[in-house]
Amino acid sequence: MSPPVRVAVATLACLCALFALWVRAENAIGVTYDVPAAAGTGGEPERTWGSYDPDTLYHVRRVARGVEHDGWVASHDLRLDHPHEPGSLGTAIPWPPTYDLLLTALARRAGPDFDALFVDSEGTTVDAALPTAERARIERLVATVPMVCGTLAALLAALFGAGLAHRLAPEDRRGLAACAAAVVCGLTVAATFGHTRYSHLGNGDHHAFVSLLHLVLLGLTGSALCREHIVQPVRSAVRGGLAGVVAGLLVTSWTASILWVALVQAALVLRLALPFPDVEGGSGRANARGLPLFATSFHKTALLVLVPAVIESPFSSTTP
């Protein structure tokens, strides 16, 4: 891709991202309310905003509990399906932990406290519930992150689409094809109702984050399977490892994302079975010598990312 085309594609992708951000900000949902001043300060209540989406508010609760307890999110909740028998941990939380761990790290401005995992550790658990102002800050954070994810998704869709079009178009039309693909792909993500619905300001659910990871996974896999890259064993292994990390984060953020892993597996089988032409114009399966390394590193890395969440799953004892 020539420098002028690169500049044009980057500019169009950024414009699509700005449009996506505007759409999500203009379609914001939420409520305004007063946050009382800290006790004993005599200050005036502070006007702020929050979300009324129920899934968002439960993410807020889970993140607030994580901030209170070492940065680790809980797998059970006594306030779900209340009341419980004495000594019960509460109802198992059906959501996997990765998305809420990310939000908790953003809220704490630090990762989880690994020292708290040791038996003799006192941890960093706070002695009292979070102040109302801090909970309001967490609510605003949770309700804003998906908007950022939606904006990044539009940007990446434009860039990935431009790259694919430039690779497939006739040589004399590659620049035009790349620019057109950037606009179409970027605006499709930016303006699609379903994507906007789950990534506008005020919605803190995990689907916009999952959609962004889906896009990254497809982009990595598509790049790795192109005929110029699949003949490179070492780079294929690296790309497979990166795609495996993304796949593991996907499944541990939303369990149904296992379907996207199956889609990648189907693409690998097709790439192996079909005699695509190689770089020199020949055909056959030997030109895909990087494919086994991509597949191996993809699956092994994804399993490594999955293992901690599987071990800590509240359902591992009831439905192993």
Side-chain angles (χ1 to χ4, degrees):
M1 191 178 293
S2 63
V5 175
R6 289 178 183 270
V7 171
V9 167
T11 302
L12 292 171
C14 291
L15 290 175
C16 289
L18 289 174
F19 178 70
L21 180 64
W22 176 78
V23 170
R24 283 148 182 77
E26 283 294 306
N27 288 276
I29 63 169
V31 293
T32 57
Y33 60 95
D34 291 328
V35 176
T41 62
E44 295 292 327
E46 179 183 354
R47 195 72 172 171
T48 188
W49 65 273
S51 177
Y52 57 75
D53 176 70
D55 285 351
T56 300
L57 294 177
Y58 193 76
H59 279 295
V60 172
R61 168 169 167 75
R62 199 178 188 192
V63 171
R65 293 177 69 198
V67 171
E68 292 174 341
H69 298 88
D70 310 305
W72 298 101
V73 297
S75 299
H76 296 80
D77 193 340
L78 282 168
R79 295 188 181 180
L80 289 177
D81 197 25
H82 185 81
H84 298 278
E85 297 293 332
S88 171
L89 293 173
T91 297
I93 299 173
W95 284 331
T98 296
Y99 179 62
D100 291 315
L101 277 172
L102 171 65
L103 293 177
T104 303
L106 291 175
R108 297 176 76 235
R109 302 181 183 89
D113 182 6
F114 285 92
D115 290 338
L117 299 178
F118 295 96
V119 176
D120 59 348
S121 171
E122 297 180 359
T124 58
T125 303
V126 297
D127 296 328
L130 292 176
T132 304
E134 177 65 9
R135 288 183 176 272
R137 183 187 70 84
I138 293 174
E139 184 174 346
R140 294 193 301 271
L141 171 69
V142 172
T144 303
V145 167
M147 182 177 68
V148 178
C149 292
T151 302
L152 291 175
L155 177 68
L156 290 181
L159 295 176
F160 288 157
L164 181 61
H166 187 270
R167 188 180 301 121
L168 297 178
E171 188 171 356
D172 59 336
R173 298 181 181 179
R174 285 181 175 177
L176 178 61
C179 292
V183 173
V184 171
C185 295
L187 292 183
T188 298
V189 174
T192 299
F193 173 79
H195 201 282
T196 303
R197 170 65 181 83
Y198 280 101
S199 59
H200 58 63
L201 184 64
N203 189 318
D205 207 357
H206 54 263
H207 293 294
F209 176 68
V210 169
S211 177
L212 177 62
L213 292 183
H214 285 167
L215 189 60
V216 174
L217 178 61
L218 294 179
L220 284 172
T221 304
S223 174
L225 294 184
C226 76
R227 62 185 186 179
E228 294 87 357
H229 295 163
I230 200 61
V231 297
Q232 303 169 347
V234 175
R235 293 187 179 183
S236 293
V238 172
R239 291 187 179 96
L242 292 175
V245 170
V246 175
L249 294 176
L250 268 172
V251 178
T252 56
S253 296
W254 189 47
T255 310
S257 297
I258 193 70
L259 296 175
W260 287 91
V261 177
L263 180 63
V264 172
Q265 292 171 330
L268 297 179
V269 172
L270 287 175
R271 182 62 180 84
L272 180 63
L274 299 179
F276 287 92
D278 62 17
V279 180
E280 288 75 25
S283 63
R285 300 178 184 86
N287 56 61
R289 57 180 177 271
L291 184 61
L293 290 172
F294 177 91
T296 301
S297 60
F298 171 74
H299 287 95
K300 289 185 176 181
T301 309
L303 285 174
L304 286 175
V305 177
L306 280 170
V307 164
V310 172
I311 293 174
E312 292 297 322
S313 171
F315 301 101
S316 58
S317 58
T318 57
T319 53

mmCIF file of all heavy atoms in Angstrom, residues 175-220:
data_model
loop_
_atom_site.group_PDB
_atom_site.id
_atom_site.type_symbol
_atom_site.label_atom_id
_atom_site.label_comp_id
_atom_site.label_asym_id
_atom_site.label_seq_id
_atom_site.Cartn_x
_atom_site.Cartn_y
_atom_site.Cartn_z
ATOM 1 N N GLY A 175 -5.892 1.189 -4.632
ATOM 2 C CA GLY A 175 -6.060 2.366 -3.789
ATOM 3 C C GLY A 175 -7.520 2.742 -3.615
ATOM 4 O O GLY A 175 -7.988 2.993 -2.493
ATOM 5 N N LEU A 176 -8.264 2.775 -4.727
ATOM 6 C CA LEU A 176 -9.686 3.104 -4.660
ATOM 7 C C LEU A 176 -10.461 2.056 -3.873
ATOM 8 O O LEU A 176 -11.337 2.390 -3.061
ATOM 9 C CB LEU A 176 -10.250 3.220 -6.078
ATOM 10 C CG LEU A 176 -11.749 3.528 -6.197
ATOM 11 C CD1 LEU A 176 -12.056 4.873 -5.542
ATOM 12 C CD2 LEU A 176 -12.178 3.527 -7.662
ATOM 13 N N ALA A 177 -10.135 0.784 -4.104
ATOM 14 C CA ALA A 177 -10.828 -0.292 -3.395
ATOM 15 C C ALA A 177 -10.576 -0.207 -1.893
ATOM 16 O O ALA A 177 -11.498 -0.413 -1.080
ATOM 17 C CB ALA A 177 -10.380 -1.647 -3.934
ATOM 18 N N ALA A 178 -9.347 0.093 -1.496
ATOM 19 C CA ALA A 178 -9.024 0.193 -0.075
ATOM 20 C C ALA A 178 -9.794 1.334 0.588
ATOM 21 O O ALA A 178 -10.354 1.179 1.678
ATOM 22 C CB ALA A 178 -7.523 0.385 0.100
ATOM 23 N N CYS A 179 -9.846 2.477 -0.059
ATOM 24 C CA CYS A 179 -10.566 3.625 0.508
ATOM 25 C C CYS A 179 -12.069 3.345 0.602
ATOM 26 O O CYS A 179 -12.711 3.666 1.612
ATOM 27 C CB CYS A 179 -10.308 4.865 -0.330
ATOM 28 S SG CYS A 179 -8.602 5.470 -0.257
ATOM 29 N N ALA A 180 -12.631 2.743 -0.455
ATOM 30 C CA ALA A 180 -14.061 2.436 -0.440
ATOM 31 C C ALA A 180 -14.387 1.423 0.649
ATOM 32 O O ALA A 180 -15.394 1.553 1.369
ATOM 33 C CB ALA A 180 -14.484 1.901 -1.810
ATOM 34 N N ALA A 181 -13.532 0.413 0.791
ATOM 35 C CA ALA A 181 -13.775 -0.603 1.813
ATOM 36 C C ALA A 181 -13.671 -0.009 3.219
ATOM 37 O O ALA A 181 -14.431 -0.378 4.122
ATOM 38 C CB ALA A 181 -12.779 -1.743 1.656
ATOM 39 N N ALA A 182 -12.736 0.912 3.424
ATOM 40 C CA ALA A 182 -12.599 1.553 4.733
ATOM 41 C C ALA A 182 -13.881 2.285 5.112
ATOM 42 O O ALA A 182 -14.364 2.182 6.248
ATOM 43 C CB ALA A 182 -11.413 2.513 4.724
ATOM 44 N N VAL A 183 -14.463 3.003 4.156
ATOM 45 C CA VAL A 183 -15.691 3.753 4.432
ATOM 46 C C VAL A 183 -16.858 2.800 4.705
ATOM 47 O O VAL A 183 -17.604 2.957 5.685
ATOM 48 C CB VAL A 183 -16.023 4.687 3.250
ATOM 49 C CG1 VAL A 183 -17.387 5.335 3.441
ATOM 50 C CG2 VAL A 183 -14.942 5.756 3.113
ATOM 51 N N VAL A 184 -17.017 1.795 3.845
ATOM 52 C CA VAL A 184 -18.153 0.876 3.997
ATOM 53 C C VAL A 184 -18.061 0.104 5.309
ATOM 54 O O VAL A 184 -19.032 0.029 6.077
ATOM 55 C CB VAL A 184 -18.220 -0.092 2.795
ATOM 56 C CG1 VAL A 184 -19.262 -1.179 3.051
ATOM 57 C CG2 VAL A 184 -18.549 0.659 1.523
ATOM 58 N N CYS A 185 -16.897 -0.478 5.593
ATOM 59 C CA CYS A 185 -16.753 -1.282 6.808
ATOM 60 C C CYS A 185 -16.850 -0.421 8.072
ATOM 61 O O CYS A 185 -17.520 -0.794 9.045
ATOM 62 C CB CYS A 185 -15.426 -2.030 6.784
ATOM 63 S SG CYS A 185 -15.289 -3.265 5.475
ATOM 64 N N GLY A 186 -16.187 0.732 8.053
ATOM 65 C CA GLY A 186 -16.228 1.597 9.224
ATOM 66 C C GLY A 186 -17.617 2.124 9.523
ATOM 67 O O GLY A 186 -18.081 2.102 10.670
ATOM 68 N N LEU A 187 -18.321 2.585 8.488
ATOM 69 C CA LEU A 187 -19.664 3.131 8.708
ATOM 70 C C LEU A 187 -20.666 2.039 9.041
ATOM 71 O O LEU A 187 -21.654 2.297 9.748
ATOM 72 C CB LEU A 187 -20.123 3.905 7.468
ATOM 73 C CG LEU A 187 -19.374 5.203 7.175
ATOM 74 C CD1 LEU A 187 -19.998 5.904 5.960
ATOM 75 C CD2 LEU A 187 -19.390 6.136 8.388
ATOM 76 N N THR A 188 -20.457 0.827 8.545
ATOM 77 C CA THR A 188 -21.358 -0.269 8.890
ATOM 78 C C THR A 188 -21.345 -0.533 10.386
ATOM 79 O O THR A 188 -22.395 -0.651 11.025
ATOM 80 C CB THR A 188 -20.964 -1.549 8.124
ATOM 81 O OG1 THR A 188 -21.096 -1.323 6.727
ATOM 82 C CG2 THR A 188 -21.861 -2.713 8.534
ATOM 83 N N VAL A 189 -20.150 -0.609 10.963
ATOM 84 C CA VAL A 189 -20.057 -0.803 12.409
ATOM 85 C C VAL A 189 -20.542 0.430 13.154
ATOM 86 O O VAL A 189 -21.237 0.338 14.171
ATOM 87 C CB VAL A 189 -18.608 -1.140 12.811
ATOM 88 C CG1 VAL A 189 -18.464 -1.193 14.329
ATOM 89 C CG2 VAL A 189 -18.179 -2.465 12.205
ATOM 90 N N ALA A 190 -20.206 1.602 12.646
ATOM 91 C CA ALA A 190 -20.562 2.841 13.338
ATOM 92 C C ALA A 190 -22.069 3.044 13.432
ATOM 93 O O ALA A 190 -22.570 3.565 14.433
ATOM 94 C CB ALA A 190 -19.921 4.031 12.635
ATOM 95 N N ALA A 191 -22.804 2.639 12.379
ATOM 96 C CA ALA A 191 -24.228 2.981 12.297
ATOM 97 C C ALA A 191 -25.168 1.798 12.475
ATOM 98 O O ALA A 191 -26.390 1.997 12.471
ATOM 99 C CB ALA A 191 -24.514 3.646 10.955
ATOM 100 N N THR A 192 -24.659 0.583 12.614
ATOM 101 C CA THR A 192 -25.543 -0.568 12.805
ATOM 102 C C THR A 192 -26.296 -0.428 14.119
ATOM 103 O O THR A 192 -25.710 -0.156 15.170
ATOM 104 C CB THR A 192 -24.733 -1.874 12.797
ATOM 105 O OG1 THR A 192 -24.094 -2.015 11.533
ATOM 106 C CG2 THR A 192 -25.629 -3.073 13.042
ATOM 107 N N PHE A 193 -27.620 -0.656 14.067
ATOM 108 C CA PHE A 193 -28.447 -0.429 15.256
ATOM 109 C C PHE A 193 -28.015 -1.310 16.423
ATOM 110 O O PHE A 193 -27.865 -0.845 17.554
ATOM 111 C CB PHE A 193 -29.918 -0.700 14.928
ATOM 112 C CG PHE A 193 -30.811 -0.661 16.142
ATOM 113 C CD1 PHE A 193 -31.217 0.549 16.681
ATOM 114 C CD2 PHE A 193 -31.218 -1.829 16.764
ATOM 115 C CE1 PHE A 193 -32.024 0.602 17.806
ATOM 116 C CE2 PHE A 193 -32.029 -1.800 17.891
ATOM 117 C CZ PHE A 193 -32.427 -0.580 18.417
ATOM 118 N N GLY A 194 -27.837 -2.608 16.165
ATOM 119 C CA GLY A 194 -27.503 -3.514 17.250
ATOM 120 C C GLY A 194 -26.190 -3.150 17.923
ATOM 121 O O GLY A 194 -26.073 -3.189 19.159
ATOM 122 N N HIS A 195 -25.186 -2.786 17.118
ATOM 123 C CA HIS A 195 -23.894 -2.427 17.694
ATOM 124 C C HIS A 195 -24.006 -1.129 18.486
ATOM 125 O O HIS A 195 -23.431 -1.004 19.577
ATOM 126 C CB HIS A 195 -22.851 -2.289 16.586
ATOM 127 C CG HIS A 195 -21.443 -2.420 17.080
ATOM 128 N ND1 HIS A 195 -20.797 -1.395 17.718
ATOM 129 C CD2 HIS A 195 -20.566 -3.456 17.047
ATOM 130 C CE1 HIS A 195 -19.574 -1.779 18.053
ATOM 131 N NE2 HIS A 195 -19.410 -3.022 17.649
ATOM 132 N N THR A 196 -24.742 -0.182 17.945
ATOM 133 C CA THR A 196 -24.929 1.083 18.663
ATOM 134 C C THR A 196 -25.705 0.866 19.961
ATOM 135 O O THR A 196 -25.399 1.475 20.995
ATOM 136 C CB THR A 196 -25.673 2.095 17.773
ATOM 137 O OG1 THR A 196 -24.942 2.283 16.554
ATOM 138 C CG2 THR A 196 -25.833 3.424 18.469
ATOM 139 N N ARG A 197 -26.682 -0.015 19.909
ATOM 140 C CA ARG A 197 -27.517 -0.270 21.086
ATOM 141 C C ARG A 197 -26.696 -0.763 22.275
ATOM 142 O O ARG A 197 -26.996 -0.436 23.432
ATOM 143 C CB ARG A 197 -28.599 -1.304 20.717
ATOM 144 C CG ARG A 197 -29.410 -1.867 21.881
ATOM 145 C CD ARG A 197 -30.239 -0.783 22.546
ATOM 146 N NE ARG A 197 -30.990 -1.306 23.674
ATOM 147 C CZ ARG A 197 -30.495 -1.476 24.899
ATOM 148 N NH1 ARG A 197 -29.224 -1.148 25.152
ATOM 149 N NH2 ARG A 197 -31.234 -1.960 25.871
ATOM 150 N N TYR A 198 -25.670 -1.539 22.010
ATOM 151 C CA TYR A 198 -24.879 -2.101 23.101
ATOM 152 C C TYR A 198 -23.587 -1.340 23.364
ATOM 153 O O TYR A 198 -22.787 -1.765 24.208
ATOM 154 C CB TYR A 198 -24.560 -3.568 22.811
ATOM 155 C CG TYR A 198 -25.718 -4.480 23.125
ATOM 156 C CD1 TYR A 198 -26.548 -4.962 22.110
ATOM 157 C CD2 TYR A 198 -26.013 -4.845 24.433
ATOM 158 C CE1 TYR A 198 -27.623 -5.785 22.397
ATOM 159 C CE2 TYR A 198 -27.089 -5.660 24.730
ATOM 160 C CZ TYR A 198 -27.885 -6.133 23.707
ATOM 161 O OH TYR A 198 -28.955 -6.943 23.995
ATOM 162 N N SER A 199 -23.361 -0.246 22.669
ATOM 163 C CA SER A 199 -22.127 0.503 22.911
ATOM 164 C C SER A 199 -22.363 1.999 23.061
ATOM 165 O O SER A 199 -21.398 2.766 23.036
ATOM 166 C CB SER A 199 -21.119 0.259 21.779
ATOM 167 O OG SER A 199 -21.636 0.646 20.520
ATOM 168 N N HIS A 200 -23.621 2.422 23.197
ATOM 169 C CA HIS A 200 -23.821 3.857 23.401
ATOM 170 C C HIS A 200 -23.551 4.222 24.851
ATOM 171 O O HIS A 200 -23.508 3.363 25.737
ATOM 172 C CB HIS A 200 -25.236 4.285 22.974
ATOM 173 C CG HIS A 200 -26.344 3.570 23.692
ATOM 174 N ND1 HIS A 200 -26.542 3.665 25.044
ATOM 175 C CD2 HIS A 200 -27.317 2.741 23.230
ATOM 176 C CE1 HIS A 200 -27.597 2.949 25.402
ATOM 177 N NE2 HIS A 200 -28.071 2.367 24.322
ATOM 178 N N LEU A 201 -23.363 5.490 25.082
ATOM 179 C CA LEU A 201 -23.075 5.982 26.426
ATOM 180 C C LEU A 201 -24.245 5.648 27.350
ATOM 181 O O LEU A 201 -25.402 5.929 27.040
ATOM 182 C CB LEU A 201 -22.856 7.499 26.379
ATOM 183 C CG LEU A 201 -22.440 8.170 27.690
ATOM 184 C CD1 LEU A 201 -21.082 7.659 28.147
ATOM 185 C CD2 LEU A 201 -22.404 9.690 27.521
ATOM 186 N N GLY A 202 -23.929 5.025 28.473
ATOM 187 C CA GLY A 202 -24.959 4.636 29.422
ATOM 188 C C GLY A 202 -25.205 3.146 29.464
ATOM 189 O O GLY A 202 -25.836 2.647 30.404
ATOM 190 N N ASN A 203 -24.706 2.413 28.462
ATOM 191 C CA ASN A 203 -24.824 0.956 28.475
ATOM 192 C C ASN A 203 -23.465 0.378 28.825
ATOM 193 O O ASN A 203 -22.506 0.539 28.086
ATOM 194 C CB ASN A 203 -25.301 0.439 27.109
ATOM 195 C CG ASN A 203 -25.647 -1.045 27.143
ATOM 196 O OD1 ASN A 203 -24.950 -1.851 27.744
ATOM 197 N ND2 ASN A 203 -26.741 -1.400 26.481
ATOM 198 N N GLY A 204 -23.385 -0.311 29.945
ATOM 199 C CA GLY A 204 -22.114 -0.860 30.402
ATOM 200 C C GLY A 204 -22.006 -2.356 30.265
ATOM 201 O O GLY A 204 -21.120 -2.971 30.880
ATOM 202 N N ASP A 205 -22.882 -2.976 29.475
ATOM 203 C CA ASP A 205 -22.843 -4.425 29.323
ATOM 204 C C ASP A 205 -21.591 -4.846 28.545
ATOM 205 O O ASP A 205 -20.930 -4.026 27.898
ATOM 206 C CB ASP A 205 -24.109 -4.902 28.612
ATOM 207 C CG ASP A 205 -24.470 -6.330 28.982
ATOM 208 O OD1 ASP A 205 -23.706 -6.949 29.747
ATOM 209 O OD2 ASP A 205 -25.507 -6.835 28.512
ATOM 210 N N HIS A 206 -21.310 -6.145 28.548
ATOM 211 C CA HIS A 206 -20.045 -6.644 28.012
ATOM 212 C C HIS A 206 -20.043 -6.837 26.500
ATOM 213 O O HIS A 206 -18.989 -7.139 25.922
ATOM 214 C CB HIS A 206 -19.699 -7.991 28.674
ATOM 215 C CG HIS A 206 -20.782 -9.014 28.564
ATOM 216 N ND1 HIS A 206 -21.691 -9.239 29.572
ATOM 217 C CD2 HIS A 206 -21.130 -9.860 27.566
ATOM 218 C CE1 HIS A 206 -22.542 -10.186 29.206
ATOM 219 N NE2 HIS A 206 -22.220 -10.580 27.986
ATOM 220 N N HIS A 207 -21.159 -6.681 25.813
ATOM 221 C CA HIS A 207 -21.236 -7.087 24.409
ATOM 222 C C HIS A 207 -20.378 -6.214 23.481
ATOM 223 O O HIS A 207 -19.855 -6.710 22.474
ATOM 224 C CB HIS A 207 -22.692 -7.085 23.947
ATOM 225 C CG HIS A 207 -23.509 -8.137 24.628
ATOM 226 N ND1 HIS A 207 -23.294 -9.484 24.429
ATOM 227 C CD2 HIS A 207 -24.539 -8.044 25.515
ATOM 228 C CE1 HIS A 207 -24.161 -10.181 25.158
ATOM 229 N NE2 HIS A 207 -24.903 -9.337 25.834
ATOM 230 N N ALA A 208 -20.218 -4.942 23.769
ATOM 231 C CA ALA A 208 -19.367 -4.108 22.925
ATOM 232 C C ALA A 208 -17.908 -4.535 23.045
ATOM 233 O O ALA A 208 -17.169 -4.564 22.056
ATOM 234 C CB ALA A 208 -19.523 -2.638 23.303
ATOM 235 N N PHE A 209 -17.475 -4.892 24.243
ATOM 236 C CA PHE A 209 -16.120 -5.396 24.445
ATOM 237 C C PHE A 209 -15.932 -6.724 23.710
ATOM 238 O O PHE A 209 -14.907 -6.946 23.051
ATOM 239 C CB PHE A 209 -15.870 -5.578 25.941
ATOM 240 C CG PHE A 209 -14.535 -6.173 26.285
ATOM 241 C CD1 PHE A 209 -13.368 -5.469 26.071
ATOM 242 C CD2 PHE A 209 -14.457 -7.447 26.835
ATOM 243 C CE1 PHE A 209 -12.130 -6.017 26.394
ATOM 244 C CE2 PHE A 209 -13.233 -8.003 27.158
ATOM 245 C CZ PHE A 209 -12.063 -7.296 26.937
ATOM 246 N N VAL A 210 -16.926 -7.598 23.806
ATOM 247 C CA VAL A 210 -16.862 -8.885 23.112
ATOM 248 C C VAL A 210 -16.822 -8.678 21.602
ATOM 249 O O VAL A 210 -16.056 -9.336 20.876
ATOM 250 C CB VAL A 210 -18.068 -9.757 23.521
ATOM 251 C CG1 VAL A 210 -18.195 -10.977 22.624
ATOM 252 C CG2 VAL A 210 -17.936 -10.186 24.980
ATOM 253 N N SER A 211 -17.618 -7.742 21.090
ATOM 254 C CA SER A 211 -17.627 -7.459 19.654
ATOM 255 C C SER A 211 -16.268 -6.956 19.183
ATOM 256 O O SER A 211 -15.794 -7.322 18.094
ATOM 257 C CB SER A 211 -18.714 -6.429 19.340
ATOM 258 O OG SER A 211 -18.709 -6.084 17.976
ATOM 259 N N LEU A 212 -15.618 -6.124 19.979
ATOM 260 C CA LEU A 212 -14.290 -5.633 19.626
ATOM 261 C C LEU A 212 -13.288 -6.784 19.553
ATOM 262 O O LEU A 212 -12.485 -6.872 18.614
ATOM 263 C CB LEU A 212 -13.841 -4.597 20.656
ATOM 264 C CG LEU A 212 -12.430 -4.021 20.479
ATOM 265 C CD1 LEU A 212 -12.301 -3.284 19.167
ATOM 266 C CD2 LEU A 212 -12.081 -3.100 21.654
ATOM 267 N N LEU A 213 -13.346 -7.697 20.519
ATOM 268 C CA LEU A 213 -12.445 -8.853 20.489
ATOM 269 C C LEU A 213 -12.751 -9.770 19.316
ATOM 270 O O LEU A 213 -11.839 -10.357 18.719
ATOM 271 C CB LEU A 213 -12.540 -9.627 21.810
ATOM 272 C CG LEU A 213 -11.997 -8.917 23.054
ATOM 273 C CD1 LEU A 213 -12.100 -9.843 24.261
ATOM 274 C CD2 LEU A 213 -10.560 -8.471 22.861
ATOM 275 N N HIS A 214 -14.043 -9.926 18.983
ATOM 276 C CA HIS A 214 -14.401 -10.704 17.793
ATOM 277 C C HIS A 214 -13.700 -10.148 16.562
ATOM 278 O O HIS A 214 -13.145 -10.887 15.749
ATOM 279 C CB HIS A 214 -15.919 -10.644 17.559
ATOM 280 C CG HIS A 214 -16.712 -11.480 18.506
ATOM 281 N ND1 HIS A 214 -18.074 -11.356 18.635
ATOM 282 C CD2 HIS A 214 -16.353 -12.466 19.366
ATOM 283 C CE1 HIS A 214 -18.511 -12.226 19.537
ATOM 284 N NE2 HIS A 214 -17.482 -12.900 19.991
ATOM 285 N N LEU A 215 -13.754 -8.847 16.429
ATOM 286 C CA LEU A 215 -13.162 -8.193 15.263
ATOM 287 C C LEU A 215 -11.655 -8.407 15.225
ATOM 288 O O LEU A 215 -11.075 -8.697 14.165
ATOM 289 C CB LEU A 215 -13.496 -6.703 15.300
ATOM 290 C CG LEU A 215 -13.161 -5.874 14.067
ATOM 291 C CD1 LEU A 215 -13.901 -6.403 12.851
ATOM 292 C CD2 LEU A 215 -13.530 -4.413 14.311
ATOM 293 N N VAL A 216 -10.997 -8.289 16.379
ATOM 294 C CA VAL A 216 -9.556 -8.505 16.440
ATOM 295 C C VAL A 216 -9.222 -9.953 16.085
ATOM 296 O O VAL A 216 -8.257 -10.225 15.352
ATOM 297 C CB VAL A 216 -9.022 -8.151 17.844
ATOM 298 C CG1 VAL A 216 -7.548 -8.518 17.971
ATOM 299 C CG2 VAL A 216 -9.216 -6.665 18.124
ATOM 300 N N LEU A 217 -10.014 -10.897 16.583
ATOM 301 C CA LEU A 217 -9.776 -12.313 16.288
ATOM 302 C C LEU A 217 -9.895 -12.601 14.796
ATOM 303 O O LEU A 217 -9.040 -13.275 14.205
ATOM 304 C CB LEU A 217 -10.762 -13.181 17.071
ATOM 305 C CG LEU A 217 -10.681 -14.690 16.827
ATOM 306 C CD1 LEU A 217 -9.315 -15.233 17.219
ATOM 307 C CD2 LEU A 217 -11.789 -15.418 17.589
ATOM 308 N N LEU A 218 -10.934 -12.079 14.168
ATOM 309 C CA LEU A 218 -11.112 -12.303 12.736
ATOM 310 C C LEU A 218 -10.007 -11.619 11.930
ATOM 311 O O LEU A 218 -9.528 -12.157 10.924
ATOM 312 C CB LEU A 218 -12.483 -11.792 12.298
ATOM 313 C CG LEU A 218 -13.691 -12.540 12.876
ATOM 314 C CD1 LEU A 218 -14.988 -11.927 12.381
ATOM 315 C CD2 LEU A 218 -13.642 -14.021 12.523
ATOM 316 N N GLY A 219 -9.603 -10.426 12.369
ATOM 317 C CA GLY A 219 -8.531 -9.733 11.670
ATOM 318 C C GLY A 219 -7.208 -10.487 11.750
ATOM 319 O O GLY A 219 -6.496 -10.632 10.746
ATOM 320 N N LEU A 220 -6.870 -10.986 12.935
ATOM 321 C CA LEU A 220 -5.637 -11.749 13.097
ATOM 322 C C LEU A 220 -5.669 -13.035 12.283
ATOM 323 O O LEU A 220 -4.692 -13.393 11.615
ATOM 324 C CB LEU A 220 -5.422 -12.081 14.577
ATOM 325 C CG LEU A 220 -4.939 -10.941 15.476
ATOM 326 C CD1 LEU A 220 -4.965 -11.389 16.927
ATOM 327 C CD2 LEU A 220 -3.524 -10.514 15.088
#
